[in-house]
Amino acid sequence: MSEFLQQLLNGLSLGAIYALIALGYTMVYGVLRFINFAHSDVFMVGAFLGYYLGKLVPEHTIWGGLAVLAVSMIGCAILGMTIERLAYRPLRSAPTLNVLITAIGVSLLLEYTGQVFFGAAPRNFPSIFPVRNFSFGSVIVTSNQLIVIAVSVVLMIVLQLIVYRTKIGTAMRAVSLNPKAAALMGVNNDVVISFTFGLGSALAAAGGILYALNYPSIDPLMGVMPGLKAFVAAILGGIGNIPGAALGGLILGTVETFVSGSQWSTYKDAIAFAILIIIMLFRPAGLLGKFTVEKV
Amino acid sequence: MPPKPHLALLAALLFAFGVQHFSDQFNPYYLDVLTGIGINVILAVSLNLVNGYTGQFSLGHAGFMSVGAYLSAAVTLYFAPRWFGEDGGTAWQEGGLFLMALLAGGLSAAFAGLLVGVPSLRLKGDYLALVTLGFGEIIRVTFQNVESLGGALGLNGIPPYTTIFWVLAFVAITIFVVTCLVNSTYGRGFLATRDDEIASEAVGLNTTRYKIVAFVIGAFFAGIAGGLYGHFKLTITPTGFDFTKSIEIVVMVILGGMGNTLGVILAAILLTLLPEVLRPVAEYRMVLYSFLLIVLMLARPQGLFNFKFGKSKA
């Protein structure tokens, strides 16, 4: 039983990270209807920003950790908006496939540039937050897990407030519902899309730092697998659906943790994709998505 | 399409034989690059049948390639020592075994294509892309866990059977099959499925069947390309066939202009040569490669070699 609780806790903290990344995918898909492959590399850049900033602040302090988190999020938001402005906006009217390929190009560019600038060797991530273990019975809770869960919950609440309680959030929802009608009602689509990229990238940066705290080694290709899995999480919950992305992330993280704790551990990377295929075949709109019938 | 495709194929096969005959005279580096180009052309042209002509966006081509690579390597690794002993067979014997291995690889990849295609081709667009990506990754993880196929270390010591003749011959056969197929009466169904699925169904075409046929044929040639690749590199690992490889092939198809065989061939050549040409700038070459990819996509979104955009697409 205690092993089950322990695994559940590990799974939830991994799932919270997946959820943060998945939110970025799902928001961009909501407004632009395309898969932003570069998102997983923004996640990587976020972790590296955290690495360099983490050297500037004293280790093991709450305020230092939060400052690193905030500055990296701002940095990645700017990066995400720049990518959107330079690479995606010129292709706004092109077929989705072209934007997809461009996104892949941006993703490769970030990865290889990362390898040139940061070096391909993995590095140890500094422990920017205080480290302590709490034990409840035989269940051990590390402070990092608590931080991951707390930060994710706070960020998701903030996101929910932005999307449902602010003017720009309303505009985001309008654009994702119908971009043309939104434009006719006076919504500046470009500003909204740019903002969406900024928001998603900031969440990816937070995800990157939290991931690096729990798996303390970072390298320029670290984003690929978590990125793919977070994307699966976004689909699992129903792409374009914000609570769905959070739910999908939590489910995926938990399932994956249980699988890696079992005798099938070497198949843990396949599990995410098996879930993806099952969902696609039986409920293509995802758990919380609405199914639409195609009309002629 | 040339006026006499069978003659063109025959000429191409003869040409391949001729190149093989004089292969000693060429710089081995150029031969290696040419082999790499040939394998990529097979992959890109076969994927073009699925992505370009039939309009089904697949991201799992590397998975089928890996099935072919593993199966054909397993065949030669199993039979070569038993049939030829220590000192190897004659050129004809080895060629026969290699052909058998390639066909085994191609057929098993086609079977994998059937298994993947039947359930997933009900989906469209992005969703199909993701499911094929998922299947590709599952195939990779499965190979990583099968100990008799080397596990994560992969297969080593594959005999170097891939010669320039085999590569050029299969390039010619792939182009021949795909071109003749889409230009045949039956093949019009692929184009119809791409252009308007609902209208095609309304006139009585079984679009699901066309999609599966395209998928299986595409997977077959991907398997052949995998077999050639394995006997060229002499060692294969599961990580060599991850989704980056699939994306590389998709990029060739899109850059060449979807559903344009000539353009796709040119794009495959260009994208194989690009990293080679950029070799002098060593560490920056992949940075430049990806940068050029973005620039090309922004500058020519209809594909680099597609000159009739606008009127051909509905």
Side-chain angles (χ1 to χ4, degrees):
Chain A
M1 187 59 202
S2 69
E3 198 194 325
F4 175 81
L5 282 178
Q6 182 73 54
Q7 288 287 49
L8 187 68
L9 186 77
N10 297 346
L12 285 181
S13 73
L14 178 65
I17 296 170
Y18 284 159
L20 283 180
I21 317 171
L23 287 168
Y25 277 113
T26 223
M27 284 194 293
V28 167
Y29 192 90
V31 293
L32 279 183
R33 305 265 167 247
F34 94 101
I35 306 165
N36 181 15
F37 265 98
H39 194 63
S40 57
D41 300 292
V42 173
F43 163 87
M44 175 274 289
V45 172
F48 269 95
L49 276 178
Y51 171 82
Y52 287 111
L53 290 168
K55 295 188 162 179
L56 302 178
V57 297
E59 287 194 348
H60 307 301
T61 52
I62 292 270
W63 66 268
L66 288 179
V68 167
L69 200 63
V71 176
S72 307
M73 284 171 71
I74 295 170
C76 277
I78 295 171
L79 175 72
M81 285 150 110
T82 316
I83 292 173
E84 190 274 328
R85 180 70 193 83
L86 295 180
Y88 303 151
R89 194 176 295 179
L91 287 170
R92 200 54 56 75
S93 57
T96 323
L97 276 187
N98 294 90
V99 195
L100 195 69
I101 297 296
T102 314
I104 291 168
V106 173
S107 159
L108 293 177
L109 185 66
L110 287 177
E111 280 168 22
Y112 293 126
T113 316
Q115 285 185 339
V116 171
F117 279 105
F118 307 140
R123 298 159 182 236
N124 282 330
F125 196 78
S127 44
I128 46 175
F129 281 103
V131 179
R132 198 188 292 168
N133 290 341
F134 308 93
S135 47
F136 298 96
S138 53
V139 179
I140 297 166
V141 185
T142 67
S143 54
N144 276 344
Q145 285 174 326
L146 288 180
I147 289 165
V148 166
I149 293 173
V151 170
S152 314
V153 168
V154 169
L155 286 178
M156 281 182 223
I157 292 173
V158 170
L159 179 73
Q160 198 73 2
L161 290 178
I162 291 178
V163 173
Y164 286 97
R165 292 276 188 279
T166 62
K167 207 173 167 190
I168 187 93
T170 315
M172 272 171 68
R173 283 181 291 139
V175 171
S176 96
L177 205 59
N178 188 336
K180 267 186 199 149
L184 288 172
M185 293 297 125
V187 176
N188 187 339
N189 281 10
D190 283 341
V191 170
V192 171
I193 290 169
S194 194
F195 180 77
T196 311
F197 267 87
L199 206 56
S201 304
L203 292 178
I209 290 176
L210 297 179
Y211 189 84
L213 277 177
N214 267 354
Y215 305 86
S217 137
I218 57 175
D219 66 90
L221 296 179
M222 65 181 277
V224 178
M225 260 302 147
L228 272 179
K229 286 178 187 159
F231 188 72
V232 172
I235 303 235
L236 179 63
I239 188 113
N241 184 317
I242 291 175
L247 178 70
L250 289 179
I251 294 177
L252 194 68
T254 315
V255 171
E256 197 184 303
T257 309
F258 275 104
V259 170
S260 50
S262 74
Q263 51 174 329
W264 299 98
S265 58
T266 46
Y267 282 95
K268 83 178 167 71
D269 284 345
I271 276 297
F273 299 104
I275 292 178
L276 170 78
I277 289 166
I278 293 168
I279 281 287
M280 286 274 131
L281 292 179
F282 296 105
R283 204 176 151 76
L287 292 177
L288 299 185
K290 276 204 197 79
F291 190 73
T292 48
V293 178
E294 195 193 356
K295 296 185 193 116
V296 180
Chain B
M1 167 170 184
K4 293 214 168 66
H6 299 82
L7 283 182
L9 176 66
L10 202 64
L13 290 179
L14 282 175
F15 173 73
F17 200 72
V19 171
Q20 166 74 20
H21 196 75
F22 294 107
S23 62
D24 301 343
Q25 328 238 329
F26 299 121
N27 184 336
Y29 170 70
Y30 292 128
L31 274 183
D32 278 6
V33 173
L34 190 62
T35 309
I37 289 178
I39 292 172
N40 279 338
V41 168
I42 299 176
L43 288 168
V45 169
S46 59
L47 185 67
N48 191 30
L49 178 66
V50 183
N51 279 19
Y53 288 116
T54 321
Q56 304 303 312
F57 193 56
S58 161
L59 272 179
H61 222 49
F64 302 128
M65 184 186 171
S66 71
V67 173
Y70 267 98
L71 260 292
S72 61
V75 168
T76 47
L77 281 177
Y78 183 81
F79 286 111
R82 284 171 180 71
W83 287 0
F84 307 144
E86 283 293 305
D87 38 280
T90 64
W92 285 103
Q93 285 173 324
E94 285 186 348
L97 174 65
F98 187 41
L99 186 62
M100 197 181 90
L102 283 182
L103 289 179
L107 288 176
S108 49
F111 183 65
L114 187 70
L115 285 185
V116 175
V118 169
S120 52
L121 284 168
R122 297 190 292 145
L123 301 166
K124 292 190 177 69
D126 291 354
Y127 287 105
L128 176 66
L130 285 166
V131 169
T132 48
L133 188 158
F135 271 115
E137 288 292 296
I138 288 177
I139 291 174
R140 181 177 67 78
V141 174
T142 311
F143 277 131
Q144 242 162 21
N145 285 292
V146 178
E147 285 306 321
S148 57
L149 288 174
L153 294 174
L155 283 177
N156 293 305
I158 305 168
Y161 285 163
T162 300
T163 60
I164 199 69
F165 166 72
W166 288 110
V167 175
L168 291 180
F170 273 106
V171 167
I173 293 172
T174 311
I175 297 172
F176 171 78
V177 169
V178 170
T179 318
C180 288
L181 191 65
V182 291
N183 284 299
S184 66
T185 319
Y186 180 80
R188 294 292 167 193
F190 296 120
L191 308 180
T193 306
R194 174 194 68 186
D195 287 343
D196 195 327
E197 205 176 323
I198 295 166
S200 316
E201 273 178 7
V203 296
L205 288 181
N206 187 345
T207 52
T208 311
R209 199 189 163 87
Y210 273 107
K211 289 186 206 167
I212 292 172
V213 168
F215 213 68
V216 168
I217 295 175
F220 174 81
F221 284 111
I224 298 267
L228 290 169
Y229 179 85
H231 293 81
F232 167 57
K233 293 281 181 195
L234 311 186
T235 168
I236 45 179
T237 52
T239 41
F241 304 102
D242 57 1
F243 94 113
T244 327
K245 181 73 192 166
S246 296
I247 283 178
E248 204 182 305
I249 312 167
V250 170
V251 167
M252 290 172 191
V253 172
I254 294 189
L255 212 55
M258 307 261 286
N260 171 354
T261 303
L262 187 63
V264 168
I265 297 170
L266 291 176
I269 295 173
L270 180 78
L271 285 180
T272 323
L273 281 180
L274 205 54
E276 298 294 333
V277 175
L278 293 176
R279 215 172 262 282
V281 285
E283 55 179 329
Y284 294 102
R285 73 185 177 128
M286 293 318 284
V287 177
L288 268 174
Y289 170 85
S290 45
F291 184 70
L292 282 176
L293 187 66
I294 302 171
V295 172
L296 284 176
M297 226 54 246
L298 292 179
R300 281 193 71 82
Q302 72 273 42
L304 199 54
F305 304 105
N306 197 348
F307 299 109
K308 46 179 186 181
F309 189 74
K311 61 178 179 182
S312 63
K313 269 275 175 78

